[in-house]
Amino acid sequence: MQTKLLKITHTQQDEAILKEAAGLLAAGHLVAIPTETVYGLAANALDPKAASAIYAAKGRPSDNPLIVHVSDIREIPPLVKQVPETLYRLAERFWPGPMTIIMEKSDLVPYETSGGLDTVAIRMPSHPVARELIRRSGVPLAAPSANLSGSPSPTCAQHCMDDLTGRVEAIVDGGSCEVGVESTVLTLCTTPPTVLRPGAVTLEMLREVLPDIRLDPGIFLHLSDDRKVSSPGMKYKHYSPKARVVLVRGPLEAFRQFIDGQSGDFGILCFSGEESGFSRPCIVYGVKGDAASQAKHLFDALRKVDKEQMKLVYVRIADGEGIGQAVYNRLLRAAGFDEIRL
Ligand code: AMP
Ligand code: MG
């Protein structure tokens, strides 16, 4: 398959691009699209064949459900058994934006989309291109991250091209993603509601609307593949470069000493401004103390690790509040939970 690259230029030409991409989606094809979190691999969420094609293109395990993207709250009632009252309160505060909500699904949502579950994950993105494509295609769009399963999520069109050229009909290039990590996922199917994946909408923010919401312990714990998990995505190794990733927690001086004590071939991931003085190649991922900037650059940095053919990378990590939890969660998974505390 020839993959078309459709570039948004913020000129009159965008009209033709949006029309073409929406036409492909309405016809059941796969199109990688920009969102504010990461690029999504979109297809008609109500078409079992289109949803199955997403799993095939990504090499994604068929029990890992897809997030369904809508552009208007009025699109939700047909997709769910009933709309919980809390949905409206959450939507008012955090939508459009990087929050995904799990509810009981209606029969309209095929099991191909829900990964065989009786629940469905729904999000209303804020990215104008994503919103316009949902609206124009006339259907909700299932859109997991537009990467090959297991590899770091894509935060620009080049990442999608690297992974999916020849596997999808088109890639819409809308520039770099603002947030850089995937949406916060929470379920309203538990009492109290539970956060299953941390993201830019943080636990503290959610507590303003749902004071009793809790974090699923699986977010920061290693769960073996056969254990029952609340969110299938939790059990897979994720976001990882081919290199072995090891997290190293501690003050900068201790980190430098640790690195000096290591022999052999390896690389370093650290914060910008810290990279000089190391005897090994260094890639930066954002600013220390600025978790939002770390989130934005994390996946690009993890992809560079493979581009530079590092076999082992030590990642400097520091405590992070808010979205820092999302950064830590992604890094833990990239590292297969391998963390050294100095
Ligand atoms: P991705 O679209 O690649 O960002 O992954 C979607 C994430 O949402 C995965 O971790 C899924 O396991 C999770 N998810 C989607 N739908 C459900 C659901 N119905 N129940 C639990 N987790 C879900
Ligand atoms: Mg993903």
Side-chain angles (χ1 to χ4, degrees), residues 140-217:
L141 297 178
S145 48
N147 54 327
L148 287 175
S149 189
S151 76
S153 295
T155 52
C156 64
Q158 184 62 50
H159 296 163
C160 302
M161 289 192 272
D162 292 345
D163 279 21
L164 298 177
T165 296
R167 293 171 166 262
V168 302
E169 211 72 36
I171 295 168
V172 178
D173 181 353
S176 290
C177 300
E178 198 48 47
V179 176
V181 292
E182 304 84 346
S183 58
T184 306
V185 176
L186 65 101
T187 178
L188 295 180
C189 299
T190 57
T191 312
T194 312
V195 174
L196 302 178
R197 179 173 75 183
V201 174
T202 63
L203 184 68
E204 299 76 45
M205 290 159 73
L206 290 167
R207 283 214 167 114
E208 290 170 21
V209 179
L210 301 175
D212 59 347
I213 193 165
R214 60 176 198 110
L215 279 186
D216 190 287

